[in-house]
Amino acid sequence: MTITTSSNDSLKLHSVATKMAGTLTFLLVCSLLQGALCEKWAINMPQNINVLRGACVTIPCSFDVNSDHEKNLDHTCKAYWSDSLPISGENAKLKPTKDMTGDLTKKDCTTTFNDASLLQSTKYYFRLECDNALKITFSQAGVDISVKDDPPSPTLTPSTLEVEEGTSVSLTCSAPAPCWSHPPALTWTPNLGQSQETLQENQDKTKVKTSVMNFTASHLHHGNKISCTAVYKNNRGSTDVTAETSLAADISYSPKDVQISVSPSCPVPENSNVSLTCSSNANPAVENYTWYRADGDQETFIGTGMSLNIKVSRDRRRFFCKAENQIGVGHSNLTHLVVQYCETHCGFYSGVLPWVLAGVFFSISVICAAFLCKVQKNVKPQEEDRTYMSLNRRNVSSSEYDVINTAPK
C-alpha cells in the first residue's frame, strides 16, 4: 500500500510542527525562569516555623502579582490568614491589622502575631483583598506552624572543644528568633571573654540570634562545662522560659604544679633511705619523669620514674624532677633534704644522752643544797638586838662572872 501526500498537506504538517516547537520552547523558558516571567502570582514564606506558646511570632512573607494588577495595590488592601481553603475576608480565622503586617503596596505580607495562642499547629495560607479587582488567595504555598511549650535548645558551634592551651577559641551560640521584636537573650556560663550578639537572617527570611565568645584556651578551662542559655520572653505575664546547651572543654597542656613529696618526712638521719615521688597535673598524662641533683649551677641526672629511692648523705641534699608529656615539660622547685648528722655512733649517743643529762642535773642539785646549808650557819645576829646580846652565855672563868657571884664582906 502506497501513501501519497500533496504539497498542501506537507505545509499543514510543517505548520503544526512549528507551533508545537514554539509551545515546547515557551514551556522550557518558563521552567528555567521558575515563573519569573510566566507566572507573576507568586508568594514566598518559610515552609515551617516553631512558635513558643504565649510568645509573639513573625511570619516573613512576600508576594507578587500580574503586571495588570500592579495598579490595584493601594492602601485599601488587607491581609488574611487561614488554615482552610477557600479563604475570604469573612471566613478568615486571622485578620491582622495594618500595624501587624508589612507594607502590602510594596508586596510585603510579613505578619506579626503578638500572642501565639491565636495560632494552632497547622498550615496557614495567605489571602490578599483590596477594594478593587485584586482579590487572591495564594494557595500554592503555606507555612506550617508548630506551637511548642518549650523553646528549642541553642546550637553551639563547634559542638566540641578539643584544643591545645594557648589556642584562640571562638564559640558561637545561635537560637531561633521567631519573635523579631523580642529575640532571645543569650548568656555564657562561665563568661570566658568578650562576646558579641547579632540578629541574623536565614535564607528563608526567618531570623536567628547569635552570640560569639572569643577567649584563649587555658589549662584552667580543662574539664569545665561551658554553657549557652537562651531566655525567651513570654507575653502572657508568666515566667520567661529558658533553654540551654553545653559542652565540656578538653584542653591539652604541658605538666603543671610539678611537686616532690618525701617519705619519711624531714629531717632524715644521715645514711638512711628515703623515697622521693614526683607528681603533676597534665593533659595528656605524663609519659616520662626524670630526676636531677642540683650541684651549684650544674644539673646531675640521677634517675627516671615517678618515684626515686636514695640514701641520704651530706652531699646529696637538693633535688628536682622534670615531668614530660606530648605537649611539653614541667619542672619542680628544688627540694632540700634536712639531714640529721651523726659524728660517730648515733645509736650510742642517743641512748646515753638522757642518763648524762640526769647525772648533771643531780650534781647541780647536790651542790646547791650544800651551798644553802653553809650560808645559813654563817648568819650572825644583828648588833641592835640587845635582849639577845645580854642573855648570851659567857665563859664562867670571865671576870664578869666572878664579879656577879662575889658576896660582899
Side-chain angles (χ1 to χ4, degrees), residues 291-306:
W291 293 89
Y292 298 85
R293 184 177 72 246
D295 300 321
D297 295 334
Q298 300 297 320
E299 298 178 1
T300 303
F301 172 79
I302 57 175
T304 61
M306 181 179 292

Side-chain angles (χ1 to χ4, degrees), residues 43-278:
I43 189 166
N44 296 305
M45 64 179 70
Q47 292 183 352
N48 54 75
I49 296 179
N50 292 327
V51 181
L52 186 61
R53 193 183 306 277
C56 81
V57 60
T58 300
I59 303 174
C61 175
S62 63
F63 63 91
D64 204 353
V65 298
N66 283 346
S67 56
D68 57 343
H69 281 283
E70 293 279 354
K71 61 182 182 297
N72 293 326
L73 291 172
D74 57 26
H75 66 280
T76 65
C77 296
K78 296 179 181 178
Y80 299 98
W81 293 85
S82 185
D83 59 353
S84 60
L85 297 172
I87 310 172
S88 66
E90 288 75 20
N91 68 3
K93 293 186 177 180
L94 300 174
K95 302 177 181 180
T97 59
K98 286 187 176 295
D99 60 339
M100 298 169 60
T101 61
D103 189 348
L104 296 176
T105 64
K106 297 180 179 179
K107 305 173 185 178
D108 182 7
C109 52
T110 300
T111 305
T112 298
F113 296 98
N114 292 323
D115 190 351
S117 61
L118 299 174
L119 303 174
Q120 296 179 348
S121 294
T122 186
K123 178 175 282 191
Y124 285 87
Y125 299 92
F126 176 74
R127 178 175 175 79
L128 177 68
E129 284 192 6
C130 305
D131 293 346
N132 48 51
L134 181 54
K135 294 178 177 63
I136 182 173
T137 298
F138 294 89
S139 59
Q140 67 269 39
V143 55
D144 283 312
I145 298 295
S146 298
V147 181
K148 306 290 186 179
D149 292 323
D150 299 313
S153 298
T155 300
L156 282 180
T157 307
S159 58
T160 59
L161 182 60
E162 297 180 3
V163 296
E164 188 174 325
E165 184 177 30
T167 303
S168 295
V169 178
S170 180
L171 290 180
T172 301
C173 177
S174 58
C179 179
W180 294 2
S181 58
H182 296 92
L186 302 179
T187 57
W188 293 94
T189 306
N191 187 6
L192 301 178
Q194 293 183 347
S195 58
Q196 184 176 5
E197 294 186 357
T198 56
L199 188 62
Q200 299 179 351
E201 186 175 88
N202 296 321
Q203 189 174 1
D204 62 357
K205 303 302 180 181
T206 58
K207 294 189 177 182
V208 60
K209 184 70 171 292
T210 63
S211 176
V212 180
M213 181 174 64
N214 299 306
F215 63 96
T216 301
S218 167
H219 69 280
L220 300 176
H221 303 151
H222 177 65
N224 289 350
K225 175 183 174 183
I226 302 176
S227 303
C228 176
T229 303
V231 181
Y232 288 84
K233 184 177 178 59
N234 195 311
N235 290 337
R236 294 189 297 178
S238 57
T239 305
D240 295 341
V241 291
T242 62
E244 179 184 294
T245 299
S246 60
L247 58 80
D250 186 358
I251 311 299
S252 301
Y253 54 93
S254 61
K256 311 289 183 183
D257 303 325
V258 183
Q259 298 180 359
I260 295 178
S261 59
V262 182
S263 178
S265 59
C266 294
V268 293
E270 185 181 6
N271 296 324
S272 64
N273 294 321
V274 297
S275 177
L276 306 179
T277 302
C278 187

Side-chain angles (χ1 to χ4, degrees), residues 260 294 318-320 332-336:
I260 295 178
R318 294 197 306 164
F319 303 87
F320 69 93
S332 72
N333 293 327
L334 281 175
T335 295
H336 183 269

